[in-house]
Amino acid sequence: MVIQRNFELRLLWPIVLLGLCLWGFLNLAGEMMEGDLHAVDEWLLSWFRTGGVDGTAWGPRWLPDVMRDITALGSPTVLILTVSAVCGYLMMAGQWHMMWLAAGSSLLGWGVSIALKHVFARARPDALFHGTLADGYSFPSGHAMMSAVVFLTLATLVARLAPRTRLRVYAIGVAAGVSGLVGLSRVYLGVHWASDVAAGWAAGAAWAVLVWMVAHRLHLGQERSQ
């Protein structure tokens, strides 16, 4: 009876977290479609610009280059290399099922991101603000969503192999931090509205929680040492 109760409690928090992430995404999407977020998005975008109206980002001269380096962490090239490296690790660790889950969920998450962009078909900020190359639709931010999909998903899966709680917390914390910086860089560089980024984080986090729940249901990584 106690074991069953502990099992149910372990499953409760990811279900609640998944629900909160989905609620956040749907709420942002609804507000965006009604135009209620436009004033806030414009204010946040102009807040990062010198004088608030031109296309020059504030800060020291080296900061835009740093932000472009950070935003590249959410690019398809870097994400593919990251997924490949982690899948290679899982293969060498004999975690074949987890490896296929990591690769498949990353690929499917990319497809969902593209589909959502075409569903909402939101235009990006004016090209005057762009501090790096960008095209396509804006909502949700592909960089923010896919950095969360890839980094958070891989971190939650690898964390299932970690023998200590602090190692699991560290892996997930680093992944969340990187995803957060990637999203921030998209607004700073003027290629996304802030609500695009927030929606991307929410959708990506929901995806990572869902993949963790699948891994938990399949008992993947439970053979780690205690």
Side-chain angles (χ1 to χ4, degrees):
M1 196 67 181
V2 175
I3 294 177
Q4 182 178 358
R5 186 178 304 168
N6 289 338
F7 178 77
E8 291 174 350
L9 288 175
R10 273 204 310 270
L11 283 183
L12 179 61
W13 72 263
I15 291 174
V16 171
L17 184 56
L18 176 62
L20 287 174
C21 290
L22 291 176
W23 175 84
F25 176 82
L26 293 174
N27 188 54
L28 284 166
E31 295 287 332
M32 181 273 294
M33 293 181 70
E34 293 175 3
D36 295 338
L37 297 176
H38 189 66
V40 175
D41 279 333
E42 282 197 328
W43 178 81
L44 287 171
L45 187 66
S46 63
W47 187 79
F48 282 107
R49 324 304 341 143
T50 302
V53 292
D54 66 19
T56 304
W58 58 255
R61 294 179 60 183
W62 50 263
L63 187 55
D65 287 335
V66 171
M67 285 298 183
R68 280 187 283 269
D69 290 340
I70 291 174
T71 211
L73 295 175
S75 67
T77 300
V78 173
L79 294 178
I80 289 172
L81 290 173
T82 301
V83 172
S84 299
V86 173
C87 285
Y89 169 83
L90 293 173
M91 288 173 59
M92 290 189 293
Q95 297 290 334
W96 289 91
H97 292 93
M98 192 177 288
M99 184 273 292
W100 286 115
L101 179 60
S105 63
S106 298
L107 182 61
L108 187 57
W110 174 78
V112 170
S113 174
I114 297 299
L116 288 174
K117 281 181 174 289
H118 283 82
V119 166
F120 294 104
R122 187 189 197 185
R124 291 180 183 270
D126 192 285
L128 170 69
F129 296 105
H130 292 190
T132 188
L133 295 176
D135 55 16
Y137 295 125
S138 189
F139 186 96
S141 166
H143 276 63
M145 179 173 173
M146 287 309 300
S147 63
V149 164
V150 170
F151 293 125
L152 279 178
T153 296
L154 295 182
T156 55
L157 292 179
V158 171
R160 293 183 63 82
L161 303 175
R164 299 174 184 172
T165 299
R166 64 180 180 179
L167 296 178
R168 296 192 285 273
V169 171
Y170 175 80
I172 295 173
V174 169
V178 171
S179 178
L181 287 173
V182 169
L184 178 63
S185 73
R186 302 306 283 172
V187 180
Y188 179 87
L189 293 172
V191 293
H192 274 294
W193 306 105
S195 57
D196 299 337
V197 170
W201 283 334
W207 190 264
V209 173
L210 183 61
V211 174
W212 182 93
M213 292 173 67
V214 172
H216 185 81
R217 181 67 179 83
L218 296 176
H219 307 291
L220 300 181
Q222 289 190 351
E223 64 275 18
R224 66 171 184 265
S225 58
Q226 301 297 326

